[in-house]
Amino acid sequence: TIPGGNLSKKKTIDVGVNVHVSTLLELGEEASQLISGARDGELVSYLNIPPGKMKLTLTYPLGTPASMDFKVDDSTTVGDVLWIAAKFYEKVYDEEDSWDTPSSPDERTGLLNRERTSGPYGIWGHDIGDLWFEGIRIDGRKITLCMGS
């Protein structure tokens, strides 16, 4: 059996994680295979969701959500999903910053948070280096992320 049991029989799956987005990007895809998550107090590596197309939607800290489709199979891990999400965050931030360059932290006054930019996603509040993955929620064929900073 695959560690974590058969999660596909549940309508909604919640997996807790604690992974810094920028560190994962710096370490590379191989590092994602070392990541596990916690579900109902049990360590899980594999998501055990039915093979097929999934939709990942990024909402934080975006004024306009960004979505992408990707395929999963029986061997898809928690780390695989976080790697895909980290690369998608990187793409979204790069695209946003090509429209409107945010002020650097040294130029900011008052709060050190990023000001809302005027690109297609309206990123506000946090640079990519501030973001942490804190959880994965799978509801049917949709994946959303619980993010922290």
Side-chain angles (χ1 to χ4, degrees), residues 32-58:
S32 70
Q33 298 311 305
L34 304 174
I35 298 170
S36 293
R39 182 174 179 279
D40 297 331
E42 183 179 332
L43 195 61
V44 295
S45 294
Y46 294 90
L47 292 174
N48 303 344
I49 50 183
K53 187 170 74 171
M54 300 292 290
K55 180 175 286 298
L56 170 65
T57 301
L58 306 181

PDB file of all heavy atoms in Angstrom, residues 32-58:
ATOM      1  N   SER A  32      12.060  18.573  -3.541  1.00  0.00           N
ATOM      2  CA  SER A  32      10.625  18.398  -3.313  1.00  0.00           C
ATOM      3  C   SER A  32      10.292  16.951  -2.949  1.00  0.00           C
ATOM      4  O   SER A  32       9.283  16.696  -2.302  1.00  0.00           O
ATOM      5  CB  SER A  32       9.823  18.844  -4.537  1.00  0.00           C
ATOM      6  OG  SER A  32      10.011  17.958  -5.626  1.00  0.00           O
ATOM      7  N   GLN A  33      11.129  16.017  -3.346  1.00  0.00           N
ATOM      8  CA  GLN A  33      10.866  14.605  -3.045  1.00  0.00           C
ATOM      9  C   GLN A  33      11.129  14.257  -1.582  1.00  0.00           C
ATOM     10  O   GLN A  33      10.781  13.169  -1.126  1.00  0.00           O
ATOM     11  CB  GLN A  33      11.672  13.704  -3.979  1.00  0.00           C
ATOM     12  CG  GLN A  33      11.293  13.894  -5.444  1.00  0.00           C
ATOM     13  CD  GLN A  33       9.781  13.839  -5.676  1.00  0.00           C
ATOM     14  OE1 GLN A  33       9.120  12.888  -5.304  1.00  0.00           O
ATOM     15  NE2 GLN A  33       9.238  14.891  -6.284  1.00  0.00           N
ATOM     16  N   LEU A  34      11.714  15.190  -0.845  1.00  0.00           N
ATOM     17  CA  LEU A  34      11.968  14.974   0.579  1.00  0.00           C
ATOM     18  C   LEU A  34      10.838  15.488   1.462  1.00  0.00           C
ATOM     19  O   LEU A  34      10.861  15.333   2.668  1.00  0.00           O
ATOM     20  CB  LEU A  34      13.274  15.666   0.983  1.00  0.00           C
ATOM     21  CG  LEU A  34      14.510  15.255   0.194  1.00  0.00           C
ATOM     22  CD1 LEU A  34      15.697  16.118   0.594  1.00  0.00           C
ATOM     23  CD2 LEU A  34      14.816  13.781   0.401  1.00  0.00           C
ATOM     24  N   ILE A  35       9.824  16.096   0.845  1.00  0.00           N
ATOM     25  CA  ILE A  35       8.742  16.737   1.593  1.00  0.00           C
ATOM     26  C   ILE A  35       7.608  15.751   1.857  1.00  0.00           C
ATOM     27  O   ILE A  35       7.174  15.036   0.975  1.00  0.00           O
ATOM     28  CB  ILE A  35       8.198  17.953   0.805  1.00  0.00           C
ATOM     29  CG1 ILE A  35       9.304  18.991   0.628  1.00  0.00           C
ATOM     30  CG2 ILE A  35       6.980  18.544   1.496  1.00  0.00           C
ATOM     31  CD1 ILE A  35       8.931  20.103  -0.329  1.00  0.00           C
ATOM     32  N   SER A  36       7.141  15.763   3.094  1.00  0.00           N
ATOM     33  CA  SER A  36       5.937  15.033   3.473  1.00  0.00           C
ATOM     34  C   SER A  36       4.972  16.023   4.106  1.00  0.00           C
ATOM     35  O   SER A  36       5.342  17.147   4.427  1.00  0.00           O
ATOM     36  CB  SER A  36       6.268  13.924   4.472  1.00  0.00           C
ATOM     37  OG  SER A  36       7.056  12.937   3.860  1.00  0.00           O
ATOM     38  N   GLY A  37       3.774  15.587   4.317  1.00  0.00           N
ATOM     39  CA  GLY A  37       2.782  16.422   4.974  1.00  0.00           C
ATOM     40  C   GLY A  37       2.123  15.647   6.093  1.00  0.00           C
ATOM     41  O   GLY A  37       2.399  14.461   6.296  1.00  0.00           O
ATOM     42  N   ALA A  38       1.266  16.311   6.839  1.00  0.00           N
ATOM     43  CA  ALA A  38       0.556  15.672   7.941  1.00  0.00           C
ATOM     44  C   ALA A  38      -0.937  15.685   7.654  1.00  0.00           C
ATOM     45  O   ALA A  38      -1.492  16.708   7.253  1.00  0.00           O
ATOM     46  CB  ALA A  38       0.843  16.401   9.243  1.00  0.00           C
ATOM     47  N   ARG A  39      -1.539  14.523   7.840  1.00  0.00           N
ATOM     48  CA  ARG A  39      -2.993  14.406   7.671  1.00  0.00           C
ATOM     49  C   ARG A  39      -3.527  13.549   8.799  1.00  0.00           C
ATOM     50  O   ARG A  39      -3.098  12.419   8.989  1.00  0.00           O
ATOM     51  CB  ARG A  39      -3.328  13.767   6.329  1.00  0.00           C
ATOM     52  CG  ARG A  39      -4.823  13.681   6.109  1.00  0.00           C
ATOM     53  CD  ARG A  39      -5.147  13.169   4.716  1.00  0.00           C
ATOM     54  NE  ARG A  39      -6.572  13.089   4.567  1.00  0.00           N
ATOM     55  CZ  ARG A  39      -7.310  12.073   5.020  1.00  0.00           C
ATOM     56  NH1 ARG A  39      -6.755  11.068   5.625  1.00  0.00           N
ATOM     57  NH2 ARG A  39      -8.620  12.088   4.852  1.00  0.00           N
ATOM     58  N   ASP A  40      -4.438  14.105   9.572  1.00  0.00           N
ATOM     59  CA  ASP A  40      -5.017  13.398  10.720  1.00  0.00           C
ATOM     60  C   ASP A  40      -3.927  12.835  11.625  1.00  0.00           C
ATOM     61  O   ASP A  40      -4.012  11.701  12.107  1.00  0.00           O
ATOM     62  CB  ASP A  40      -5.951  12.275  10.251  1.00  0.00           C
ATOM     63  CG  ASP A  40      -7.145  12.792   9.475  1.00  0.00           C
ATOM     64  OD1 ASP A  40      -7.568  13.935   9.738  1.00  0.00           O
ATOM     65  OD2 ASP A  40      -7.639  12.059   8.599  1.00  0.00           O
ATOM     66  N   GLY A  41      -2.871  13.619  11.842  1.00  0.00           N
ATOM     67  CA  GLY A  41      -1.793  13.212  12.726  1.00  0.00           C
ATOM     68  C   GLY A  41      -0.836  12.189  12.135  1.00  0.00           C
ATOM     69  O   GLY A  41       0.042  11.695  12.817  1.00  0.00           O
ATOM     70  N   GLU A  42      -1.008  11.850  10.881  1.00  0.00           N
ATOM     71  CA  GLU A  42      -0.175  10.839  10.232  1.00  0.00           C
ATOM     72  C   GLU A  42       0.661  11.492   9.136  1.00  0.00           C
ATOM     73  O   GLU A  42       0.200  12.355   8.398  1.00  0.00           O
ATOM     74  CB  GLU A  42      -1.088   9.778   9.606  1.00  0.00           C
ATOM     75  CG  GLU A  42      -0.354   8.631   8.962  1.00  0.00           C
ATOM     76  CD  GLU A  42      -1.330   7.603   8.391  1.00  0.00           C
ATOM     77  OE1 GLU A  42      -2.447   7.476   8.905  1.00  0.00           O
ATOM     78  OE2 GLU A  42      -0.947   6.948   7.413  1.00  0.00           O
ATOM     79  N   LEU A  43       1.921  11.096   9.046  1.00  0.00           N
ATOM     80  CA  LEU A  43       2.806  11.606   8.012  1.00  0.00           C
ATOM     81  C   LEU A  43       2.445  10.959   6.680  1.00  0.00           C
ATOM     82  O   LEU A  43       2.304   9.743   6.583  1.00  0.00           O
ATOM     83  CB  LEU A  43       4.258  11.270   8.377  1.00  0.00           C
ATOM     84  CG  LEU A  43       5.348  11.988   7.627  1.00  0.00           C
ATOM     85  CD1 LEU A  43       5.265  13.483   7.858  1.00  0.00           C
ATOM     86  CD2 LEU A  43       6.705  11.484   8.075  1.00  0.00           C
ATOM     87  N   VAL A  44       2.245  11.784   5.647  1.00  0.00           N
ATOM     88  CA  VAL A  44       1.917  11.270   4.319  1.00  0.00           C
ATOM     89  C   VAL A  44       2.853  11.876   3.289  1.00  0.00           C
ATOM     90  O   VAL A  44       3.216  13.039   3.373  1.00  0.00           O
ATOM     91  CB  VAL A  44       0.448  11.551   3.920  1.00  0.00           C
ATOM     92  CG1 VAL A  44      -0.511  10.805   4.826  1.00  0.00           C
ATOM     93  CG2 VAL A  44       0.128  13.015   3.901  1.00  0.00           C
ATOM     94  N   SER A  45       3.255  11.057   2.333  1.00  0.00           N
ATOM     95  CA  SER A  45       4.073  11.533   1.218  1.00  0.00           C
ATOM     96  C   SER A  45       3.265  11.562  -0.065  1.00  0.00           C
ATOM     97  O   SER A  45       3.372  12.489  -0.854  1.00  0.00           O
ATOM     98  CB  SER A  45       5.291  10.634   1.020  1.00  0.00           C
ATOM     99  OG  SER A  45       6.145  10.728   2.128  1.00  0.00           O
ATOM    100  N   TYR A  46       2.456  10.535  -0.284  1.00  0.00           N
ATOM    101  CA  TYR A  46       1.674  10.427  -1.505  1.00  0.00           C
ATOM    102  C   TYR A  46       0.267  10.967  -1.275  1.00  0.00           C
ATOM    103  O   TYR A  46      -0.313  10.775  -0.216  1.00  0.00           O
ATOM    104  CB  TYR A  46       1.591   8.968  -1.971  1.00  0.00           C
ATOM    105  CG  TYR A  46       2.921   8.425  -2.390  1.00  0.00           C
ATOM    106  CD1 TYR A  46       3.758   7.791  -1.486  1.00  0.00           C
ATOM    107  CD2 TYR A  46       3.359   8.578  -3.705  1.00  0.00           C
ATOM    108  CE1 TYR A  46       4.999   7.317  -1.876  1.00  0.00           C
ATOM    109  CE2 TYR A  46       4.596   8.104  -4.099  1.00  0.00           C
ATOM    110  CZ  TYR A  46       5.414   7.476  -3.177  1.00  0.00           C
ATOM    111  OH  TYR A  46       6.633   7.019  -3.563  1.00  0.00           O
ATOM    112  N   LEU A  47      -0.278  11.625  -2.289  1.00  0.00           N
ATOM    113  CA  LEU A  47      -1.629  12.166  -2.167  1.00  0.00           C
ATOM    114  C   LEU A  47      -2.690  11.128  -2.453  1.00  0.00           C
ATOM    115  O   LEU A  47      -3.806  11.221  -1.967  1.00  0.00           O
ATOM    116  CB  LEU A  47      -1.802  13.369  -3.102  1.00  0.00           C
ATOM    117  CG  LEU A  47      -0.972  14.580  -2.704  1.00  0.00           C
ATOM    118  CD1 LEU A  47      -1.092  15.669  -3.750  1.00  0.00           C
ATOM    119  CD2 LEU A  47      -1.407  15.098  -1.347  1.00  0.00           C
ATOM    120  N   ASN A  48      -2.346  10.125  -3.260  1.00  0.00           N
ATOM    121  CA  ASN A  48      -3.282   9.028  -3.550  1.00  0.00           C
ATOM    122  C   ASN A  48      -4.618   9.527  -4.089  1.00  0.00           C
ATOM    123  O   ASN A  48      -5.680   9.117  -3.641  1.00  0.00           O
ATOM    124  CB  ASN A  48      -3.523   8.160  -2.321  1.00  0.00           C
ATOM    125  CG  ASN A  48      -2.255   7.591  -1.769  1.00  0.00           C
ATOM    126  OD1 ASN A  48      -1.232   7.584  -2.439  1.00  0.00           O
ATOM    127  ND2 ASN A  48      -2.294   7.126  -0.538  1.00  0.00           N
ATOM    128  N   ILE A  49      -4.547  10.430  -5.045  1.00  0.00           N
ATOM    129  CA  ILE A  49      -5.752  10.926  -5.696  1.00  0.00           C
ATOM    130  C   ILE A  49      -5.867  10.269  -7.062  1.00  0.00           C
ATOM    131  O   ILE A  49      -4.861   9.865  -7.642  1.00  0.00           O
ATOM    132  CB  ILE A  49      -5.746  12.459  -5.805  1.00  0.00           C
ATOM    133  CG1 ILE A  49      -4.442  12.979  -6.400  1.00  0.00           C
ATOM    134  CG2 ILE A  49      -5.987  13.100  -4.457  1.00  0.00           C
ATOM    135  CD1 ILE A  49      -4.311  14.467  -6.483  1.00  0.00           C
ATOM    136  N   PRO A  50      -7.068  10.120  -7.575  1.00  0.00           N
ATOM    137  CA  PRO A  50      -7.233   9.455  -8.865  1.00  0.00           C
ATOM    138  C   PRO A  50      -6.452  10.191  -9.966  1.00  0.00           C
ATOM    139  O   PRO A  50      -6.418  11.421  -9.982  1.00  0.00           O
ATOM    140  CB  PRO A  50      -8.734   9.532  -9.128  1.00  0.00           C
ATOM    141  CG  PRO A  50      -9.358   9.731  -7.793  1.00  0.00           C
ATOM    142  CD  PRO A  50      -8.359  10.511  -6.984  1.00  0.00           C
ATOM    143  N   PRO A  51      -5.815   9.442 -10.862  1.00  0.00           N
ATOM    144  CA  PRO A  51      -5.076  10.073 -11.964  1.00  0.00           C
ATOM    145  C   PRO A  51      -5.990  10.958 -12.808  1.00  0.00           C
ATOM    146  O   PRO A  51      -7.184  10.712 -12.924  1.00  0.00           O
ATOM    147  CB  PRO A  51      -4.576   8.883 -12.787  1.00  0.00           C
ATOM    148  CG  PRO A  51      -4.598   7.720 -11.856  1.00  0.00           C
ATOM    149  CD  PRO A  51      -5.730   7.981 -10.904  1.00  0.00           C
ATOM    150  N   GLY A  52      -5.399  11.998 -13.357  1.00  0.00           N
ATOM    151  CA  GLY A  52      -6.150  12.891 -14.226  1.00  0.00           C
ATOM    152  C   GLY A  52      -5.706  14.324 -14.081  1.00  0.00           C
ATOM    153  O   GLY A  52      -4.682  14.621 -13.486  1.00  0.00           O
ATOM    154  N   LYS A  53      -6.527  15.214 -14.614  1.00  0.00           N
ATOM    155  CA  LYS A  53      -6.219  16.635 -14.606  1.00  0.00           C
ATOM    156  C   LYS A  53      -6.699  17.276 -13.308  1.00  0.00           C
ATOM    157  O   LYS A  53      -7.801  17.003 -12.852  1.00  0.00           O
ATOM    158  CB  LYS A  53      -6.868  17.308 -15.810  1.00  0.00           C
ATOM    159  CG  LYS A  53      -6.487  18.756 -16.000  1.00  0.00           C
ATOM    160  CD  LYS A  53      -6.954  19.307 -17.335  1.00  0.00           C
ATOM    161  CE  LYS A  53      -8.423  19.549 -17.340  1.00  0.00           C
ATOM    162  NZ  LYS A  53      -8.914  20.275 -18.512  1.00  0.00           N
ATOM    163  N   MET A  54      -5.855  18.118 -12.727  1.00  0.00           N
ATOM    164  CA  MET A  54      -6.198  18.886 -11.531  1.00  0.00           C
ATOM    165  C   MET A  54      -6.077  20.365 -11.867  1.00  0.00           C
ATOM    166  O   MET A  54      -5.322  20.748 -12.751  1.00  0.00           O
ATOM    167  CB  MET A  54      -5.239  18.560 -10.380  1.00  0.00           C
ATOM    168  CG  MET A  54      -5.220  17.118  -9.940  1.00  0.00           C
ATOM    169  SD  MET A  54      -6.738  16.570  -9.149  1.00  0.00           S
ATOM    170  CE  MET A  54      -6.696  17.462  -7.605  1.00  0.00           C
ATOM    171  N   LYS A  55      -6.798  21.190 -11.128  1.00  0.00           N
ATOM    172  CA  LYS A  55      -6.696  22.647 -11.275  1.00  0.00           C
ATOM    173  C   LYS A  55      -6.119  23.210  -9.984  1.00  0.00           C
ATOM    174  O   LYS A  55      -6.663  22.999  -8.900  1.00  0.00           O
ATOM    175  CB  LYS A  55      -8.043  23.281 -11.556  1.00  0.00           C
ATOM    176  CG  LYS A  55      -7.950  24.811 -11.723  1.00  0.00           C
ATOM    177  CD  LYS A  55      -9.251  25.452 -12.117  1.00  0.00           C
ATOM    178  CE  LYS A  55      -9.627  25.217 -13.532  1.00  0.00           C
ATOM    179  NZ  LYS A  55      -8.766  25.724 -14.571  1.00  0.00           N
ATOM    180  N   LEU A  56      -5.010  23.928 -10.128  1.00  0.00           N
ATOM    181  CA  LEU A  56      -4.362  24.606  -9.009  1.00  0.00           C
ATOM    182  C   LEU A  56      -4.677  26.092  -9.123  1.00  0.00           C
ATOM    183  O   LEU A  56      -4.466  26.690 -10.183  1.00  0.00           O
ATOM    184  CB  LEU A  56      -2.846  24.391  -9.071  1.00  0.00           C
ATOM    185  CG  LEU A  56      -1.998  25.222  -8.110  1.00  0.00           C
ATOM    186  CD1 LEU A  56      -2.284  24.846  -6.666  1.00  0.00           C
ATOM    187  CD2 LEU A  56      -0.517  25.039  -8.423  1.00  0.00           C
ATOM    188  N   THR A  57      -5.187  26.669  -8.042  1.00  0.00           N
ATOM    189  CA  THR A  57      -5.512  28.090  -8.031  1.00  0.00           C
ATOM    190  C   THR A  57      -4.725  28.777  -6.922  1.00  0.00           C
ATOM    191  O   THR A  57      -4.784  28.354  -5.767  1.00  0.00           O
ATOM    192  CB  THR A  57      -7.019  28.318  -7.831  1.00  0.00           C
ATOM    193  OG1 THR A  57      -7.720  27.669  -8.904  1.00  0.00           O
ATOM    194  CG2 THR A  57      -7.369  29.793  -7.832  1.00  0.00           C
ATOM    195  N   LEU A  58      -3.990  29.838  -7.304  1.00  0.00           N
ATOM    196  CA  LEU A  58      -3.272  30.669  -6.348  1.00  0.00           C
ATOM    197  C   LEU A  58      -4.138  31.880  -6.042  1.00  0.00           C
ATOM    198  O   LEU A  58      -4.615  32.546  -6.967  1.00  0.00           O
ATOM    199  CB  LEU A  58      -1.932  31.133  -6.927  1.00  0.00           C
ATOM    200  CG  LEU A  58      -0.988  30.058  -7.469  1.00  0.00           C
ATOM    201  CD1 LEU A  58       0.293  30.708  -7.985  1.00  0.00           C
ATOM    202  CD2 LEU A  58      -0.681  29.009  -6.419  1.00  0.00           C
TER     203      LEU A  58
END
